[in-house]
Amino acid sequence: MSALIDKMAQGQELRSFAQRLNQVVPPEQRGASPALTAPQKGTAEYAAFAGVAEAGKMEGPATTPEARKSGSAKGAEKAKGTEQDK
């Protein structure tokens, strides 16, 4: 059964069926193909997670980005005269 599920997962036409079947068969009969867990192109799941790093594989930037400097003193003076300050 696992070999059949793996074989179906390789073809685009049967991949979604193989993924569903793999979820309902007993664990010892499940396929092991990576295609069974990968989201299919063209699905909402694929679109939502395209370009998102997998859990545990995230890396931060090599350097810390510079913080933006706050606005000029003129900006702070303008804010003092607003209704929120009254």
Side-chain angles (χ1 to χ4, degrees):
M1 179 61 93
S2 62
L4 178 60
I5 293 173
D6 285 341
K7 184 72 171 172
M8 287 189 295
Q10 299 308 313
Q12 185 65 32
E13 300 84 18
L14 296 174
R15 184 171 298 147
S16 63
F17 175 73
Q19 288 173 332
R20 289 187 197 129
L21 180 61
N22 202 48
Q23 293 173 354
V24 297
V25 297
E28 64 275 1
Q29 294 180 354
R30 292 184 183 156
S33 172
L36 293 167
T37 57
Q40 288 183 284
K41 275 190 171 183
T43 64
E45 182 183 4
Y46 180 83
F49 292 110
V52 176
E54 291 181 29
K57 293 186 178 181
M58 290 181 36
E59 293 182 18
T63 60
T64 306
E66 292 282 329
R68 289 188 178 185
K69 294 181 180 178
S70 62
S72 65
K74 290 181 183 178
E77 290 299 320
K78 287 181 185 178
K80 285 183 181 177
T82 63
E83 286 188 30
Q84 293 175 351
D85 291 334
K86 292 180 182 177

